[in-house]
């Protein structure tokens, strides 16, 4: 249904053993998520007791439908290939497919890449419609299957062209808007238009008591907000590096410092995360949470060595902010190291400060 950009091959959520490769088409692995197989099992199970032919028909329909979904995703992937953007893989989920592009396309190219998927469904709907015209008996199994697939492709085309994230239509809209304004403004405007549409759709569904339509509207509203947020962050941080977001003036503690030393230093400096050294070597990180837990368990006389984190996230100063965001621990900080020398630390606070600065800078540059 959509295409996603992901620049970090090692943190790709799809390759975790929960999906397996079906085929490779044009150099692109097509994978199936295990939940998709559950869908088939569910259809087969819910058909128990009814005619065998009906269940077989339902499963055949789902398989053919998902072939159309694969073709939709291949549309995105092949359009991306024209712009020399590789597609890592296409993964099939019960709710649709996702083609993961290795790099983000430029705004101009995104228009054609986003359009290519729905256009495949439009062409399929037209071809199946023409085929239907030539089928003599309109009531048989084959005719019914062709008719259903034609309608499904028409729905896929219309649904994906809704101008709201994360649908392809949202990307098309953003790409068109970005010809008149900067990327961040275009993302925000497209998100606002998408959410307004979802809100109107939701109201309409309420008045007509159409539950399915209401569910779709709620899904689109929430997904549009989430997608817009992640796109905004992506736009903001692109072209920026770890060394820009780090604090280079900071205090450190020795391995044999007491928790009392640590809490005094925290009160004096308002620093929350302390790198812990053993001589010249960095061996740990003591966060505010580590310190509080240590104080509760061991009291002020305890050593930082017992309470600190030993799993450290280290990045080069030249690491991109995108890499940094992906590796930033939930609770802790990233150490910016150059040849074993600690250059600085990126904490949650320093990162938020830097992102706010970027946001101000972007807002200042306005539309162009
Ligand atoms: Zn799509």
């Amino acid at each position: 249904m959509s295409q996603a950009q992901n620049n970090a091959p090692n943190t790709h959520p799809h390759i975790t053993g929960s999906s397996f490769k079906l085929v490779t088409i044009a150099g692109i692995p097509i994978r199936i998520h295990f939940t998709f197989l559950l869908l088939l099992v569910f259809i087969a199970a819910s058909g128990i007791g009814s005619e065998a032919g009906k269940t077989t028909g339902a499963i055949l329909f789902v398989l053919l439908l998902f072939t159309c979904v694969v073709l939709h995703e291949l549309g995105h992937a092949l359009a991306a290939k024209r712009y020399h953007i590789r597609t890592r893989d296409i993964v099939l989920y019960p709710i649709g497919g996702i083609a993961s592009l290795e790099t983000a396309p430029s705004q101009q190219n995104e228009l054609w890449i986003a359009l290519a998927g729905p256009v495949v469904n439009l062409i399929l709907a037209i071809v199946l419609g023409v085929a239907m015209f030539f089928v003599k008996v309109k009531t048989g199994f084959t005719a019914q299957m062709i008719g259903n697939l034609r309608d499904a492709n028409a729905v896929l085309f219309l649904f994906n062209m809704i101008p709201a994230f994360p649908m392809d239509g949202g990307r098309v809209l953003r790409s068109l808007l970005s010809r008149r304004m900067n990327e961040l403004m275009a993302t925000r405007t497209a998100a606002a238009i998408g959410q307004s549409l979802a809100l109107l759709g939701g109201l309409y569904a309420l008045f007509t008591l159409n539950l399915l339509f209401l569910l779709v509207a709620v899904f689109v509203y929430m997904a549009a907000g989430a997608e817009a947020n992640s796109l905004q962050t992506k736009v903001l941080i692109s072209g920026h590096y770890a060394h820009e977001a780090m604090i280079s003036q900071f205090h450190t503690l020795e391995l044999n410092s007491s928790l009392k030393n640590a809490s005094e230093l925290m009160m004096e400096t308002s620093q929350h995360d302390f790198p812990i050294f053993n001589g010249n070597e960095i061996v740990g990180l003591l966060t505010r949470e580590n310190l509080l837990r240590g104080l509760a368990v061991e009291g002020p006389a305890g050593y930082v060595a017992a309470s600190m984190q030993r799993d450290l996230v280290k990045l080069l100063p030249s690491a991109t902010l995108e890499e940094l965001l992906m590796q930033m621990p939930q609770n802790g900080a990233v150490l910016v190291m150059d040849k074993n020398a600690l250059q600085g630390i990126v904490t949650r606070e320093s990162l938020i400060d830097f992102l706010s600065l970027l946001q101000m800078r972007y807002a200042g540059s306005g539309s162009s």
Side-chain angles (χ1 to χ4, degrees), residues 1-3 72-73 76 117-118 160 168:
M1 295 216 167
S2 69
Q3 88 256 14
H72 170 115
E73 299 305 329
H76 289 309
N160 278 294
D168 297 322

Side-chain angles (χ1 to χ4, degrees), residues 233-246:
T233 313
K234 240 176 215 170
V235 171
L236 267 183
I237 65 175
S238 75
H240 292 283
Y241 301 93
H243 68 84
E244 297 175 76
M246 73 185 186

Side-chain angles (χ1 to χ4, degrees), residues 30-49:
I30 315 276
R31 300 175 158 275
I32 289 197
H33 196 258
F34 80 97
T35 49
F36 180 74
L37 297 179
L38 291 183
L39 174 72
L40 292 184
V41 172
F42 173 74
I43 294 169
S46 56
I48 289 171

